[in-house]
Amino acid sequence: MQLQKLASETPYPQAMLLPVTELDWSRLFAMREMALSSPDAPMYLLAPEVSLLLSYMHDLRERCFFDTLWNCGARPNEALALTPADFDFRAMQPYVTLRTLKQRSRGPGRPAKNGLPIRNVALWDADYRARMQTLIATFGITKNQLLWPGRQQADGSEKSLSTDTVSRWLNKAIDLARSDGVTLSVASLTPKTFRHSFAMHILFNRIHPKVLQALMGHKSFKSTEVYTQLFLFDVAGQHNVSFGFDVDQARRAITGLANHYLRS
């Protein structure tokens, strides 16, 4: 979804938005190859690649899980903890509430759900919202049930799926694509690749890096800089900056400046 109507629909201040331009996918593919030459760069897919890969996920629950990572930048374990109660599809700008489950800077053990920092992420894509509502209705998932439940525990409570299970879902889709002659240029895809892809898509659509920090749930902007540094390749590719200068023109310019200062 191109975010041309973002200014009127977004919950973020106008000052936090940069001008939206048409995305040149061929240029972005080339810039991605250049950016990923760095060994520390996060692997990410571009929107056409994500769309194609998702089309090979024929199970609604599997498709919706990776759709969620792509549409809201959730960490895989954050998405696995979601229930229908975390979505507000009726708001003027629909959104999902994510609970930050990353363990850094906290003590050992898993914190209580109501003690976690939260962030609200806008759900811009209407097709995604409709698919999630179909998921909830099809499986009769009640307000506080997990969207992606695992095995039921001895006390009757639900346990979320493991990240190994969703990784197998992804590998199944990659194999189906490969058998259809589709090979993605980014190697070693993992569920977290969709979170990285969300971050870069947000920047490509000219949403301010400080907004991206909030969307990603980064406590420090240093964590967001891993994406903004890659985005510099995209910015550089849009400008033809020349460092050369015609010698004769340079001579005339300098002579003219020198005469100007001599007269003054």
Side-chain angles (χ1 to χ4, degrees):
M1 174 183 176
Q2 195 77 348
L3 304 182
Q4 299 292 350
K5 295 170 64 182
L6 185 62
S8 61
E9 298 179 353
T10 182
Y12 307 110
Q14 182 69 24
M16 301 301 275
L17 304 177
L18 301 175
V20 176
T21 59
E22 287 296 323
L23 299 184
D24 181 346
W25 294 112
S26 60
R27 179 176 56 77
L28 292 181
F29 273 103
M31 290 298 104
R32 199 260 308 277
E33 296 309 304
M34 187 187 305
L36 295 186
S37 62
S38 169
D40 299 324
M43 298 292 107
Y44 68 92
L45 297 171
L46 297 170
E49 296 171 307
V50 173
S51 180
L52 187 57
L53 183 55
L54 289 175
S55 72
Y56 288 98
M57 296 181 181
H58 304 307
D59 182 282
L60 181 61
R61 257 186 168 146
E62 296 175 14
R63 166 67 187 262
C64 284
F65 176 78
F66 285 95
D67 239 345
T68 296
L69 302 186
W70 165 235
N71 275 266
C72 65
R75 298 176 178 91
N77 60 342
E78 293 171 347
L80 287 171
L82 288 171
T83 69
D86 295 315
F87 290 80
D88 190 339
F89 297 113
R90 294 178 145 187
M92 181 177 295
Q93 170 59 70
Y95 66 92
V96 61
T97 299
L98 297 171
R99 290 166 182 82
T100 302
L101 297 177
K102 197 165 185 181
Q103 293 292 324
R104 268 185 205 168
S105 75
R106 288 205 307 263
R110 190 181 183 88
K113 185 175 181 179
N114 58 8
L116 294 169
I118 65 171
R119 63 189 190 275
N120 294 327
V121 179
L123 301 176
W124 286 290
D125 193 89
D127 290 339
Y128 167 70
R129 299 196 302 267
R131 197 152 32 242
M132 289 302 296
Q133 289 173 296
T134 299
L135 171 71
I136 293 167
T138 300
F139 291 94
I141 306 170
T142 59
K143 184 176 180 181
N144 294 308
Q145 283 184 316
L146 291 173
L147 290 167
W148 296 281
R151 293 180 180 176
Q152 197 171 53
Q153 302 187 96
D155 61 1
S157 62
E158 289 180 322
K159 182 179 180 181
S160 61
L161 284 175
S162 69
T163 52
D164 287 340
T165 297
V166 297
S167 293
R168 287 194 290 272
W169 291 351
L170 175 58
N171 290 333
K172 182 172 65 174
I174 293 171
D175 290 341
L176 283 173
R178 189 178 292 121
S179 67
D180 207 21
V182 176
T183 303
L184 300 172
S185 57
V186 175
S188 303
L189 295 179
T190 69
K192 198 171 182 180
T193 303
F194 288 78
R195 172 173 161 85
H196 298 320
S197 304
F198 166 85
M200 294 306 298
H201 193 64
I202 287 294
L203 291 176
F204 291 145
N205 278 280
R206 300 304 190 267
I207 297 179
H208 197 282
K210 294 299 285 185
V211 174
L212 176 61
Q213 179 185 355
L215 294 174
M216 298 294 282
H218 290 155
K219 185 176 181 181
S220 169
F221 188 68
K222 286 186 177 181
S223 299
T224 313
E225 284 180 339
V226 68
Y227 304 110
T228 59
Q229 287 170 1
L230 292 177
F231 183 57
L232 292 177
F233 286 96
D234 174 58
V235 173
Q238 296 182 57
H239 300 276
N240 295 318
V241 181
S242 174
F243 292 90
F245 209 93
D246 180 80
V247 173
D248 291 333
Q249 287 184 338
R251 195 185 308 279
R252 289 194 296 272
I254 291 173
T255 301
L257 284 172
N259 292 336
H260 170 77
Y261 283 108
L262 285 172
R263 285 196 299 271
S264 59

